[in-house]
Amino acid sequence: PTHSLILDITESSSHSSDMTVDIIQQLLHSRNAHETDPFVEVYTSMDKLRSKCQGLEQECGSQQSDIAKLMTRGPEIKTQEKLDSLVKKLETKERIEKETKLQILKLTQELSTQNEQTQQHVKTIGDLEQELKQKDVVIERITTELRESNHHSNLAQKQYDGLKENIERLQEENDSLVKSNENLVNRIVQEKEKYMEEMMKMTDSYENANKKIEMLNELQEQEKKRFTWKRKSANNPNNKAHPHHSDGDNNINGRRFGGGAGTVLPSGIKHRIAAHPCQATCVRYDASGADIVATAGEESTVKVWSTGNGSLLKTLRGGSNQVMLGLDMSGDLTVSCGTDNMCRVWNTRTQRLLHQLVGHTQKVTSVRFFKGNTSAVLTASADRSMKVWDISRHTYRQTVTLRHGSTSYSLDMSYDGVTAVSGHHDGGVRFWDVRSGERTGEVTDLHTGGVSSVNFNPNNNAEILTLGSDSTLKLVDVRQAGQELQSFRHEEFKNNLTYAACAISPDGTYAAAGSSTGTVFIWKTLDGTLEKQLQGHEAGVVAVAWDRGGSNGQQFSSVDSKGNLLLWA
């Protein structure tokens, strides 16, 4: 039984070993169908295992022969010993075979893993080769574009060089043309200046001729009237006993005409005019004595009115969206200033804008012509400066700048054409020499509020009338270091505007100002008593004007916050 068991074990081992070798060979043949080179080491290991298995088989056969010989020989003890020895060798062989199977199984697993990795690598290699082909296509395309770009760059460089040469040539031609143009402009400017001077001379001649024609027509009319009167007198026997009346008498029924120095105290409304669609800001008579008055409003216009019938004669337009704060008129010129930091000068007769005086950095609050000299203009601004402008030529020129430490709301020129007075936000007034720009005097703390209006007395150049935000008018003697001569106030008189204007009568007898309540107040300058209160405005009075007037004797006017102009008689 022991012998048969050994034979069975041996045969079983031999048969199992043969089956394992066959499986390995089949796997190797299957693997070789795909790839051989990566498994050279596996081939070598299998050859070694095959050789080892063959040696073991040979050794097993030899041992089986030895066992058969021993069994035939037969001593039991020796056989038993040999059997034990063979069992040990068989166990050793089985152990070795088991280890070999484990190694084969491990190698099989490694082979499978390497096969999977090989397939993955093959796939990766295929993807990389495909990507490489795509990259080659992209590189080829980029290379082609680069060659084309180089070609275009060379063409552009050639074109740039050509353009550079053309630009240099054109620059030289332009420099030559600029020089020629400058010479031409200078010549045109000179010719234009000569032309403008000739035009101004012709205009002056034309205006003088018109004035002479008007004078001749008036003389002709007077001669006709004189001839008619003489003929009637000759035919009327009642006039023989009376002496002949003088033709030069300008007084009719005690009323003064012809712009004399007499003062007409206003008592009633002569004309009520809707002058502006919004608030009127100032009113001024023509300083040359014509029968016209000018008003300015917040809608950027200056309007000139007839004082005889109240009709609109001219409309002078300024820039849009600006409030006009100051106004003056003399002869054929009108000047106005406003919140757009500039002044405008018009020819009143032609309504043509002659100058735009630019130089102030903030709103221009007041403007005046020099007395008797319309070629010079004085302006005051919120930038704390006053400027003198020469407008005698077609191109204006700034000549003198007067600087101070407080905003000026108002100014006026003396009748000597040398001294100017300005009213300021700090409640004081300052006197200036407009020739040098030097300050010649100052009266501080004249009003507790700002000075909105200041006027020289037409009858006494050493006195000024001021209006303050403290609702008070004051008459001041300049020679007595600003001594207050009279103070004018009333419980119903209120002033709340920085550009409200007062006026003094042509003979210096009366002072007038409008109240925000709508009433016009007139005081006597001699004793400060209230002379009159004029009712007629339906809104607060902004400004009043009083001048010697023209031939029709109208002297006093006022404007209110609703844009109405009242001409008083």
Side-chain angles (χ1 to χ4, degrees):
T2 305
H3 177 67
S4 61
L5 177 61
I6 292 172
L7 289 177
D8 291 337
I9 293 172
T10 303
E11 291 177 358
S12 175
S13 299
S14 176
H15 179 69
S16 176
S17 178
D18 292 337
M19 289 181 64
T20 302
V21 172
D22 292 337
I23 292 171
I24 292 173
Q25 288 179 348
Q26 290 177 359
L27 291 173
L28 290 173
H29 284 299
S30 176
R31 193 267 312 180
N32 289 340
H34 299 284
E35 187 88 24
T36 303
D37 293 338
F39 303 99
V40 174
E41 294 181 359
V42 178
Y43 287 155
T44 305
S45 299
M46 293 300 297
D47 290 338
K48 291 180 180 181
L49 287 173
R50 189 181 293 110
S51 300
K52 189 174 182 180
C53 289
Q54 289 175 357
L56 290 174
E57 288 176 356
Q58 291 176 1
E59 185 178 356
C60 183
S62 176
Q63 290 178 359
Q64 287 177 355
S65 299
D66 291 340
I67 291 171
K69 288 178 182 180
L70 289 173
M71 291 178 64
T72 54
R73 267 188 241 172
E76 189 66 28
I77 297 174
K78 291 183 180 180
T79 300
Q80 185 67 34
E81 291 177 356
K82 289 182 179 181
L83 182 60
D84 295 335
S85 176
L86 288 174
V87 169
K88 291 180 180 179
K89 289 181 179 180
L90 181 60
E91 291 176 355
T92 302
K93 180 180 177 182
E94 288 178 349
R95 187 182 70 253
I96 293 172
E97 186 177 359
K98 185 177 181 180
E99 292 176 355
T100 301
K101 288 180 179 180
L102 292 174
Q103 291 180 358
I104 291 171
L105 182 60
K106 184 178 181 180
L107 288 173
T108 303
Q109 293 176 351
E110 291 178 356
L111 179 62
S112 177
T113 302
Q114 289 182 359
N115 189 17
E116 292 177 356
Q117 291 178 352
T118 300
Q119 292 178 356
Q120 187 175 0
H121 290 162
V122 168
K123 183 178 179 181
T124 303
I125 290 170
D127 294 341
L128 291 174
E129 288 177 350
Q130 185 68 24
E131 187 176 355
L132 182 60
K133 290 179 181 180
Q134 294 176 356
K135 296 294 184 183
D136 291 338
V137 173
V138 173
I139 290 172
E140 184 177 357
R141 179 172 56 80
I142 292 174
T143 303
T144 303
E145 292 178 354
L146 180 60
R147 285 197 297 268
E148 293 177 354
S149 298
N150 291 332
H151 177 67
H152 293 322
S153 177
N154 294 331
L155 290 177
Q157 183 65 35
K158 292 179 181 179
Q159 292 177 356
Y160 171 75
D161 294 336
L163 289 173
K164 186 176 181 180
E165 293 177 358
N166 291 333
I167 290 173
E168 291 177 353
R169 178 174 55 80
L170 291 173
Q171 185 66 37
E172 293 176 356
E173 294 177 357
N174 182 65
D175 293 339
S176 177
L177 290 174
V178 167
K179 292 180 181 179
S180 301
N181 183 63
E182 289 177 353
N183 295 331
L184 180 61
V185 168
N186 292 331
R187 188 166 65 252
I188 291 174
V189 169
Q190 293 175 358
E191 292 178 356
K192 187 175 180 181
E193 288 180 351
K194 293 180 181 178
Y195 173 75
M196 290 298 297
E197 290 178 358
E198 292 176 358
M199 286 294 296
M200 292 177 67
K201 291 179 180 179
M202 292 176 63
T203 302
D204 293 338
S205 300
Y206 175 76
E207 292 175 353
N208 291 331
N210 283 336
K211 290 179 180 179
K212 290 180 180 179
I213 290 172
E214 291 176 358
M215 292 175 62
L216 289 174
N217 290 333
E218 291 178 358
L219 289 174
Q220 187 177 3
E221 291 293 330
Q222 291 178 4
E223 287 296 328
K224 288 181 180 179
K225 292 179 180 180
R226 180 184 302 172
F227 177 75
T228 303
W229 179 81
K230 285 182 178 180
R231 186 174 60 184
K232 290 182 178 180
S233 297
N235 295 329
N236 188 0
N238 295 327
N239 291 335
K240 293 180 180 180
H242 298 283
H244 180 68
H245 291 281
S246 174
D247 296 330
D249 190 4
N250 289 325
N251 290 319
I252 300 177
N253 296 328
R255 186 173 183 180
R256 183 181 297 274
F257 288 91
T263 297
V264 177
L265 188 65
S267 58
I269 300 173
K270 179 180 180 181
H271 296 291
R272 180 188 298 273
I273 304 169
H276 298 273
C278 52
Q279 177 170 295
T281 55
C282 45
V283 56
R284 292 285 291 180
Y285 282 95
D286 179 12
S288 64
D291 294 325
I292 55 177
V293 64
T295 61
E298 291 184 343
E299 83 284 12
S300 305
T301 59
V302 174
K303 295 184 179 181
V304 181
W305 310 87
S306 168
T307 58
N309 55 20
S311 62
L312 177 63
L313 301 178
K314 308 290 181 182
T315 298
L316 312 176
R317 303 188 184 279
S320 59
N321 300 325
Q322 62 130 342
V323 177
M324 291 189 175
L325 300 175
L327 171 67
D328 200 10
M329 181 170 56
S330 180
D332 288 337
L333 296 181
T334 301
V335 62
S336 180
C337 61
T339 56
D340 60 351
N341 307 346
M342 67 174 65
C343 290
R344 291 172 174 83
V345 182
W346 294 271
N347 183 306
T348 311
R349 180 175 51 82
T350 63
Q351 304 180 63
R352 184 167 65 92
L353 181 63
L354 302 178
H355 301 286
Q356 293 192 83
L357 309 182
V358 179
H360 287 291
T361 59
Q362 296 187 36
K363 65 181 180 181
V364 184
T365 56
S366 186
V367 60
R368 288 290 182 271
F369 283 115
F370 279 39
K371 302 293 185 182
N373 179 16
T374 56
S375 63
V377 175
L378 177 64
T379 60
S381 170
D383 62 6
R384 299 185 178 183
S385 72
M386 299 165 60
K387 296 181 183 294
V388 179
W389 310 83
D390 180 5
I391 59 172
S392 59
R393 296 179 176 270
H394 65 277
T395 301
Y396 69 86
R397 183 169 60 95
Q398 179 187 326
T399 58
V400 180
T401 298
L402 299 77
R403 301 194 179 278
H404 44 81
S406 177
T407 298
S408 176
Y409 292 146
S410 57
L411 57 82
D412 197 18
M413 284 294 303
S414 68
Y415 290 84
D416 60 9
V418 175
T419 305
V421 60
S422 57
H424 295 263
H425 174 72
D426 59 6
V429 294
R430 294 167 175 84
F431 301 91
W432 311 86
D433 186 332
V434 295
R435 298 169 298 182
S436 62
E438 297 294 329
R439 184 189 302 177
T440 58
E442 180 177 10
V443 180
T444 60
D445 302 326
L446 185 61
H447 292 274
T448 56
V451 180
S452 64
S453 180
V454 60
N455 297 275
F456 276 101
N457 186 346
N459 200 42
N460 185 353
N461 212 33
E463 295 177 356
I464 60 171
L465 177 68
T466 63
L467 171 61
S469 298
D470 54 2
S471 301
T472 303
L473 285 79
K474 292 186 178 183
L475 186 64
V476 177
D477 190 341
V478 178
R479 296 167 300 183
Q480 302 296 327
Q483 178 183 356
E484 182 180 319
L485 300 177
Q486 289 293 343
S487 180
F488 313 98
R489 59 173 57 90
H490 192 275
E491 60 183 6
E492 296 180 2
F493 176 73
K494 304 295 181 184
N495 173 35
N496 53 13
L497 297 174
T498 60
Y499 48 87
C502 63
I504 188 168
S505 63
D507 60 359
T509 305
Y510 301 103
S515 171
S516 60
T517 60
T519 304
V520 176
F521 291 81
I522 300 177
W523 292 272
K524 289 182 179 180
T525 57
L526 182 62
D527 54 11
T529 58
L530 181 64
E531 178 69 17
K532 275 192 176 183
Q533 297 185 52
L534 302 178
Q535 305 290 338
H537 283 282
E538 298 177 355
V541 180
V542 177
V544 298
W546 204 337
D547 210 317
R548 65 180 183 272
S551 60
N552 61 23
Q554 202 283 323
Q555 297 181 344
F556 190 82
S557 60
S558 57
V559 292
D560 60 32
S561 58
K562 287 187 176 180
N564 295 314
L565 166 65
L566 269 60
L567 301 178
W568 300 83

